[in-house]
Amino acid sequence: MAQLEHIEAIEKGLWAAADTLRANSAYASNEYFMPVMGLIFLRHAYSRFLGVKDAIEANLPKRGGKTRPLSKEDFSQRSAIFLQPQAWFDYLVELTDNDDRARAIIEAMDSIESDYENLRGALPKSEYQELDNSVLGQLLRTLNPDELKHVSGDVFGRIYEYFLTQFAGQKAHDGGEFFTPVSLVSLIANVLEPQGGTVLDPACGSGGMFVQSARVVERHHENPTEKLTFRGLEKNATTIRLAKMNLAVHGLEGDIQKAITYYEDPHELLGKSDFVMANPPFNVDEIDADKVKKDPRLSFGLPGTNKKGKVSNGNYVWISYFYSYLNEQGRAGFVMSSQASSAGRDEAKVRRKLIETGDVDIMITIRSNFFYTRTVPCELWFIDRAKPEAYRNKVLMIDARNIYRKVTRKIYDFSPEQEHNILAIVWLYRGQTGKYLDLVAGYCHRMLNEGEGCFTAQDDNGDQIEPLPSFIASLATLRKAVQPFLNTLSKDAAQAQVLKELEEAAPLFKADVENFRKSVADQQSAWKKQKTSNGELQKAVDHLAPLAETSRNLGKQTDLLYKLACQLVETCENECDARNSDVWDNREITRARKAADKARQLAVEQLKQVRYFHRHASWLTERFPEARLCDVEGLAKLVDRAEIEANDWSLTPGRYVGVAHEVEDEDFDFEEALREIHVELEDLNAEAVQLAAIIKKNFEELGA
């Protein structure tokens, strides 16, 4: 497997380690929510502390041969938290069952709060006194496996996000509403592209919008703490604690105020925000109309009220607030109920006024199952107060309901490539053709690198691996282990036909692998001279198609060869009575078979990567062959105001882009379909185990 970007492979191992904790139902309950998040925060703070400590010490001034002590300011400049020795995670992990772990953790949290005013009262402390000492020990050890000691990048920040998703799925706090799926937050941040200024989230939850905004700035090799100012509003005190820890875990700070946004505006940012990002509660019907009807944030008037004097639906209160917070150059991106884009009556009047400003920029429809606690579809709204004049009477409509990846049976998200493909449509809309072409070229280049990775690469530990050669060697080892028994059989024995098929297929496979190696090398050599104009990239994508097809065929051959080898072993055992033979080494054959299966999986997964990246390049070039924005049936359309008015001022993308014509899928991805089936099966099996445990417990309590 080739060297992966964004430490994906390392993260995969970390998730597995984290799942050890999550799988324990006790730790996933409400009681353990804040203690777990607090220790993840502490673990990440320590990792970041160690990551910059040596660099800081190397540059500290010396007086009289002595180096001055480290200070909080040294670490703040590097977006890290200064930790006193009692807050070092290694110290906490080394405590024994004879030590008072709860007290030690509380002292660690106290020491951090004493140095950081913005975290005072945010970190969990008393909660640890409720946990058994041995449980705390297990929890500390679980969060400190060897994999966590050799990582780089913002891995621990991602672990914090990961646990937020786990607890959100369990509805451990606030019905899961404090957490917006990372896929959606990342898409919003990358469409808005905040480079500097004030970022306001009036319903900030656990602060994900701020974190993703910071990552946009970091990708431009700039310091987000210097470029961005974060301001948030949140009604729930516990969620504010989560947000403050989430920011700190990423080396960020923000002013998050406890407030009910409908009625309060403590930041006083009306017309002053550069960016507004939010995922507010959907379809709220409890807003007191009398309290908000004169609010200056209702730029387009009060939406309809009901007989109880409440705003009938709060969606347009939120939308109006978001708009009013923007300065004259401001941009907003937010999640909204799909009902809002076509709502009628008084809401439609507000929507019309908003559209008539010319500031509605982009609408993106998201399918259901992207949220952890809600199955409803939603839409992403984007407002740009500084839209180019040529587009002021137009809105880009994107229907992304057919773009998704199954994470579990109930939860979907975007793969990084799917998110980039949606962003590519936005880039073309904004005339950023270069970014679009760079993405297509990047897919082609990544495809070739993954092809090379089929022969030599590095695994997650940095060790060199050879997926296809290793599979060929493992088959030879398995064949060699079986050979002594085969020598005892006649040519017309039961295994003969299987053996014949295997011996005919193996050399053909070797030849195909060698041809694939040569093709990859030739294409890589040619790529060094590749021009990146649209026309040349179109030719490159077409020219690489046979290589992608070859990778798929080799994957099928790999599976077939392993299947034939297993059939040979099974035939010898079941029909030739191999187990009773003195020359049948069952242990050696089992070991060789497992090794071959492991090598098969590695080779097949690596081969899939080759075709995967070519498929994404093709997805873009087929839909946008001129590298310019164009209407794509069922996906995207630039709609003018006259058409919107003719459709009752609806902002629902599906109403404009139409439905893609159904065509026979000659390239149906059976592997992906099987993966989705496997995901569903795993989820069902897990639910079955949980249900069985509950039933057993209930019977025990009943004395049955």
Side-chain angles (χ1 to χ4, degrees), residues 454 466-478 509 513 554-555 557-563 565 595-604 607:
C454 292
E466 300 177 335
L468 280 174
S470 293
F471 173 68
I472 292 172
S474 70
L475 272 185
T477 300
L478 180 57
F509 177 71
V513 166
L554 283 175
Q557 287 176 263
T558 301
D559 284 335
L560 175 61
L561 279 171
Y562 176 71
K563 180 180 178 181
D597 187 29
K598 183 177 179 180
R600 175 195 66 82
Q601 292 178 43
L602 182 62
V604 168
L607 286 164

Side-chain angles (χ1 to χ4, degrees), residues 94-131:
E94 291 172 1
L95 295 174
T96 70
D97 286 343
N98 293 324
D99 297 308
D100 189 340
R101 292 190 176 100
R103 182 175 180 177
I105 294 171
I106 292 170
E107 289 176 352
M109 298 298 187
D110 279 335
S111 71
I112 295 173
E113 289 188 354
S114 68
D115 286 321
Y116 293 91
E117 178 67 30
N118 63 305
L119 286 175
R120 193 155 297 172
L123 304 182
K125 288 181 284 188
S126 61
E127 291 91 338
Y128 294 104
Q129 294 174 329
E130 305 299 320
L131 303 186

Side-chain angles (χ1 to χ4, degrees), residues 165 222 243 324 349 459 530 580 697:
T165 69
E222 295 186 287
S324 71
K349 296 176 183 177
D459 64 12
Q530 177 66 43
N580 290 322
K697 182 179 179 181

